[in-house]
Amino acid sequence: MTTIVDKCSPEAYIRELFEKNGPDRDDFDDIMELIDKVSADDVEPFRELMNGILNPATIIGFSFTKPFGYNGDFFIIEKIYQQYVNPDPRYRKWDEFFHRLPAAIAVINRKKLAVDMLHKLNRNAGGEPRHVLILGSGPVTEVFEYFTETEGNNLYFDLIDLDQRAIDYAKSKHRANLSYLNFQNKNVIRHVPDKKYDLLWSAGLFDYFKDKHFVFLLKRYYEFVAEGGEMVIGNFNVENPSRKIMEVLGDWFLYHRSEEELLGFARQADIPEDCTSVIREPLGINLFLYVAKK
Ligand SMILES: C[S@@+](CC[C@H](N)C(=O)[O-])C[C@H]1O[C@@H](n2cnc3c(N)ncnc32)[C@H](O)[C@@H]1O
């Protein structure tokens, strides 16, 4: 089938998009198709064409320019959660396009998965305190939503993040619940917990780590999961239809991993096989290594 992208040059097509201040809904598939065709040699010229939005005013440009020094900072994740759209007409449609990317939807889905797990842990607590550790806690939005929906909380959170700006932001957002939250500005690689946890959750973090670090951290933190407790570690799936756009326009590179790879890491970390499985959010783009410690 011949599409609009085949009918005109990429330059002409992108120029047209900019002339109308960004893509409309019916352009989304064509842009994705165009970006999927960008070869390694064409990445820089393509970025030149897209230069008008590769600045912090758009979400994808925020990723590209990395004002906080790295991709996947708390601020961009929060923009995804809040479905933030820059009201400036030069950028609005591009942000709307970003929020329709399957990967962005998967990030919102994974937050819901976390909120559901927190509710379940609280429901089953029987009035006893339960301890939760979150690695790479970022904006702490899943905990925020959990508190918004909860009366009678039994959960106490240790929240570890390397970026003090993330902690300051999360603290300001969580003023009402600070007595349940213990923020620690630390690197998860160096951090050694001083207690065992009923739930250890991490999303948007392990996909930045090499395999050997992934396994090292699994082994370390499994020690600090209480008997009967759970550990849930998120990672982008190798099947991610938004991978190319994240890499080409967002300069956002992650270690994408399959279910088999995640289970293999658990084996390498000496976690018993009958404790492990892989769960996924509804789009299957974010996988989670799930460990139920016996
Ligand atoms: C993509 S965000 C995910 C935030 C949150 N988990 C979520 O899913 O909404 C990753 C967070 O991990 C933090 N981070 C990255 N590397 C870290 C490390 N080595 N130790 C602790 N935190 C780290 C970043 O500062 C950032 O806030």
Side-chain angles (χ1 to χ4, degrees), residues 62-63 66 70-77 138 204 208 252 254:
F62 196 92
S63 169
K66 306 176 186 52
Y70 61 99
N71 295 113
D73 57 83
F74 73 97
F75 199 59
I76 196 165
I77 296 298
Y208 292 87
W252 196 341
L254 298 172

Side-chain angles (χ1 to χ4, degrees), residues 17 22-25 27-33 35 50 53 59-60 84-85 91-102 104-105 242 245 249:
L17 290 181
D24 296 309
R25 280 276 159 101
D27 296 313
F28 290 178
D29 288 347
D30 289 331
I31 303 185
M32 296 304 292
E33 192 195 324
I35 291 173
M50 298 294 293
I53 59 154
I59 299 181
I60 197 71
Y84 174 78
V85 171
Y91 305 123
R92 181 177 55 79
K93 286 186 190 176
W94 292 101
D95 278 347
E96 286 168 357
F97 167 60
F98 181 90
H99 290 301
R100 301 290 298 182
L101 294 177
I105 297 170
S242 312
I245 193 167
L249 287 186

Side-chain angles (χ1 to χ4, degrees), residues 199-254:
L199 175 63
L200 189 158
W201 170 270
S202 188
L205 179 65
F206 278 59
D207 2 37
Y208 292 87
F209 294 139
K210 292 180 179 161
D211 294 0
K212 66 177 181 188
H213 294 135
F214 196 122
V215 173
F216 167 82
L217 289 171
L218 266 187
K219 210 174 163 83
R220 147 94 55 79
Y221 284 103
Y222 179 67
E223 292 302 311
F224 295 97
V225 180
E227 279 181 25
E230 298 167 300
M231 173 158 73
V232 190
I233 307 290
N235 204 107
F236 265 81
N237 192 350
V238 282
E239 286 163 32
N240 171 14
S242 312
R243 180 173 184 166
K244 191 79 183 276
I245 193 167
M246 286 166 68
E247 294 181 351
V248 171
L249 287 186
D251 197 35
W252 196 341
F253 289 86
L254 298 172

Side-chain angles (χ1 to χ4, degrees), residues 70 72-74 77 81 110 135-139 142 160-163 166 186-188 203-205 208-209:
Y70 61 99
D73 57 83
F74 73 97
I77 296 298
Y81 290 150
R110 83 182 183 208
L135 301 175
S137 49
E142 68 292 87
I160 313 292
D161 204 289
L162 191 59
D163 190 339
K186 284 186 178 166
N187 188 335
V188 299
L205 179 65
Y208 292 87
F209 294 139

Side-chain angles (χ1 to χ4, degrees), residues 22-286:
D24 296 309
R25 280 276 159 101
D26 53 4
D27 296 313
F28 290 178
D29 288 347
D30 289 331
I31 303 185
M32 296 304 292
E33 192 195 324
L34 179 66
I35 291 173
D36 279 340
K37 287 182 181 160
V38 174
S39 67
D41 285 346
D42 288 338
V43 167
E44 284 311 322
F46 189 77
R47 286 174 175 172
E48 275 300 309
L49 286 176
M50 298 294 293
N51 190 37
I53 59 154
L54 294 185
N55 64 63
T58 62
I59 299 181
I60 197 71
F62 196 92
S63 169
F64 184 75
T65 49
K66 306 176 186 52
F68 289 18
Y70 61 99
N71 295 113
D73 57 83
F74 73 97
F75 199 59
I76 196 165
I77 296 298
E78 187 70 334
K79 282 184 175 198
I80 297 174
Y81 290 150
Q82 305 305 334
Q83 305 261 289
Y84 174 78
V85 171
N86 191 328
D88 185 324
R90 288 171 298 167
Y91 305 123
R92 181 177 55 79
K93 286 186 190 176
W94 292 101
D95 278 347
E96 286 168 357
F97 167 60
F98 181 90
H99 290 301
R100 301 290 298 182
L101 294 177
I105 297 170
V107 166
I108 292 187
N109 288 345
R110 83 182 183 208
K111 170 170 58 62
K112 178 165 185 338
L113 202 67
V115 175
D116 290 348
M117 284 199 163
L118 296 174
H119 280 305
K120 185 169 150 232
L121 184 62
N122 191 46
R123 263 197 319 274
N124 296 339
E128 294 294 315
R130 294 283 180 261
H131 297 280
V132 181
L133 175 62
I134 300 190
L135 301 175
S137 49
V140 197
T141 304
E142 68 292 87
V143 179
F144 183 81
E145 288 186 11
Y146 158 77
F147 274 115
T148 314
E149 299 163 1
T150 300
E151 279 173 27
N153 171 56
N154 299 291
L155 308 188
Y156 292 83
F157 295 86
D158 285 339
L159 305 152
I160 313 292
D161 204 289
L162 191 59
D163 190 339
Q164 184 61 42
R165 287 165 296 202
I167 292 179
D168 292 344
Y169 173 81
K171 270 189 179 168
S172 68
K173 188 166 148 164
H174 273 283
R175 274 192 209 101
N177 304 307
L178 283 178
S179 56
Y180 298 106
L181 307 177
N182 171 30
F183 288 93
Q184 297 185 49
N185 182 208
K186 284 186 178 166
N187 188 335
V188 299
I189 295 188
R190 298 212 190 87
H191 177 61
V192 181
D194 59 4
K195 61 162 137 352
K196 295 203 173 192
Y197 293 92
D198 302 293
L199 175 63
L200 189 158
W201 170 270
S202 188
L205 179 65
F206 278 59
D207 2 37
Y208 292 87
F209 294 139
K210 292 180 179 161
D211 294 0
K212 66 177 181 188
H213 294 135
F214 196 122
V215 173
F216 167 82
L217 289 171
L218 266 187
K219 210 174 163 83
R220 147 94 55 79
Y221 284 103
Y222 179 67
E223 292 302 311
F224 295 97
V225 180
E227 279 181 25
E230 298 167 300
M231 173 158 73
V232 190
I233 307 290
N235 204 107
F236 265 81
N237 192 350
V238 282
E239 286 163 32
N240 171 14
S242 312
R243 180 173 184 166
K244 191 79 183 276
I245 193 167
M246 286 166 68
E247 294 181 351
V248 171
L249 287 186
D251 197 35
W252 196 341
F253 289 86
L254 298 172
Y255 291 102
H256 288 71
R257 294 175 168 122
S258 66
E259 284 196 16
E260 294 68 32
E261 282 174 288
L262 295 178
L263 292 170
F265 291 160
R267 277 194 297 278
Q268 289 173 52
D270 298 324
I271 299 176
E273 274 187 48
D274 60 351
C275 297
T276 61
S277 58
V278 172
I279 52 181
R280 39 176 71 212
E281 46 71 38
L283 291 181
I285 295 173
N286 275 196

